[in-house]
Amino acid sequence: MAGSPILMPTGSAVPRSAAKVGPGVWEQQVNAGVALHFSFEFDTSRSFAGSITHRSMGDLGMFGVACRRHTVHRRPDDLTRAADAYFLLTLQLAGAKQVTQGGRSATIRAGEFALYDSERPLTLDVGDGYRSVNVRFRKAALGAHDAEAFSELAARTFSTEHGIAPVVWSTILNLGSLAPAHQSAGILLAGSVIDMTATMLRAQAGITGPAGRDDRTRRRLAVQAYIDERLSDPDLRVETIAAACFVSVRHLHALFRDSGHTVAGWIRHRRVEACKRDLANPAARSVPVAAIGARWGFADPSHFGQVFKNTAGVTPAEFRRQALA
């Protein structure tokens, strides 16, 4: 009998109860929390209640839900609103829901979990007394081989009592309860959670053998997420990144070998992209160019101008003039 996760402490990862909320507000809260667009149907909209918590750590999005009966869809029109392709894992803590996707339907009960694909139409029929914890991660974080294989697992139920599933879900629940002060450590742990999740799903898909390049891709993406959180730090260096990510400098360079960037090159690329966004923002028109560079880790205005021009082909001031013309 599946039921192990009911005994797991959910902490702040999942709301304890549902609060009364209007259907329109619920739609906004879910779509913002999951970072995907859904459509909704309510049998009794006036008495509907729902609560959602959500947080993002690197490539891992997490959300906990408690709610009453309703139906959730991702219709063809909803699919066009997403920039990235995701997998979502949902673990049922209480109540039940039916997942329909790819010509299959499965009812998920407490102690079971299922996978669904953001790129396919979907229907979720949620029952009363519903509580779940959910994770969202980009398919790109897995690699093409695993992503293709995992798509075949959509709308199938799996027990949390088998294999490494109890460890994976316990880790997810504890990560979701991590205090905000430890967000930086959480980003690194999120990469490990994606690795663990992929290992669990590979077993369900019957994939054997080492993950190989896909595993290296996941690890590099976790490091890149760590870097993105620290772009504003002018002292961000390869050595400090390697130490924070618990790898050697040599191994860190190896992770980036096939990415098209060195580690330092990736930092420059991401800083320039962040500066471009600010320079093209009309609301930041009055912010000095040098201040924007400093905001993203370029402490020396001259160095900022040189790096920016080498990357973008124009100076920061020229880029701003063209973008705001």
Side-chain angles (χ1 to χ4, degrees):
M1 176 181 177
S4 298
I6 309 307
L7 303 179
M8 296 178 186
T10 60
S12 60
V14 186
R16 296 186 179 276
S17 60
K20 190 170 182 180
V21 63
V25 174
W26 180 244
E27 180 173 350
Q28 293 173 4
Q29 290 177 347
V30 173
N31 288 344
V34 185
L36 289 169
H37 194 272
F38 296 89
S39 302
F40 297 79
E41 293 179 17
F42 302 88
D43 292 335
T44 53
S45 59
R46 291 185 178 179
S47 61
F48 180 75
S51 299
I52 181 170
T53 59
H54 58 87
R55 68 187 305 180
S56 179
M57 295 185 183
D59 271 323
L60 191 70
M62 305 180 62
F63 51 102
V65 179
C67 64
R68 293 181 181 172
R69 178 186 304 274
H70 67 301
T71 300
V72 185
H73 301 281
R74 268 183 65 77
R75 298 187 171 102
D77 286 349
D78 298 316
L79 302 182
T80 62
R81 304 194 187 193
D84 290 312
Y86 295 96
F87 282 122
L88 296 97
L89 272 177
T90 177
L91 169 63
Q92 199 77 10
L93 297 172
K97 73 178 170 191
Q98 185 178 61
V99 180
T100 301
Q101 188 171 64
R104 290 190 296 268
S105 290
T107 299
I108 317 172
R109 295 178 173 85
E112 296 177 332
F113 67 94
L115 178 85
Y116 51 95
D117 186 336
S118 75
E119 294 188 292
R120 298 182 182 181
L122 167 76
T123 297
L124 303 174
D125 289 303
V126 179
D128 283 326
Y130 172 91
R131 289 182 78 227
S132 71
V133 61
N134 310 266
V135 292
R136 185 203 73 239
F137 48 94
R138 293 188 300 128
K139 291 183 179 182
L142 299 172
H145 182 265
D146 281 357
E148 182 178 358
F150 295 170
S151 292
E152 299 306 312
L153 299 177
R156 300 183 190 275
T157 58
F158 305 100
S159 170
T160 55
E161 293 185 341
H162 299 152
I164 67 168
V167 177
V168 173
W169 282 109
S170 178
T171 304
I172 288 171
L173 286 166
N174 281 292
L175 184 62
S177 298
L178 195 67
H182 301 296
Q183 177 75 4
S184 298
I187 291 171
L188 294 176
L189 290 172
S192 297
V193 168
I194 293 176
D195 284 346
M196 293 170 61
T197 301
T199 299
M200 177 179 70
L201 293 175
R202 292 177 91 246
Q204 300 290 359
I207 301 171
T208 58
R213 184 171 179 174
D214 287 351
D215 181 63
R216 290 196 299 274
T217 299
R218 287 193 294 273
R219 293 181 184 278
R220 188 186 73 245
L221 289 169
V223 173
Q224 289 174 335
Y226 177 86
I227 290 171
D228 279 354
E229 289 290 316
R230 287 160 179 77
L231 290 177
S232 61
D233 181 2
D235 293 323
L236 185 64
R237 289 178 172 81
V238 173
E239 294 78 10
T240 55
I241 295 167
C245 296
F246 308 105
V247 298
S248 67
V249 170
R250 180 178 179 181
H251 183 68
L252 182 60
H253 285 306
L255 290 177
F256 279 74
R257 187 171 296 144
D258 300 323
S259 70
H261 291 278
T262 63
V263 182
W266 177 256
I267 296 171
R268 288 193 298 270
H269 166 71
R270 295 297 289 169
R271 281 175 168 163
V272 169
E273 289 301 305
C275 290
K276 283 182 177 179
R277 288 194 301 271
D278 283 357
L279 290 167
N281 182 1
R285 186 190 298 267
S286 62
V287 179
V289 166
I292 288 176
R295 176 186 297 170
W296 295 108
F298 292 105
D300 181 351
S302 178
H303 176 65
F304 169 45
Q306 181 181 1
V307 171
F308 191 97
K309 187 171 183 179
N310 288 343
T311 303
V314 293
T315 67
E318 289 169 337
F319 179 88
R320 170 182 268 175
R321 281 196 295 270
Q322 294 172 8
L324 300 179

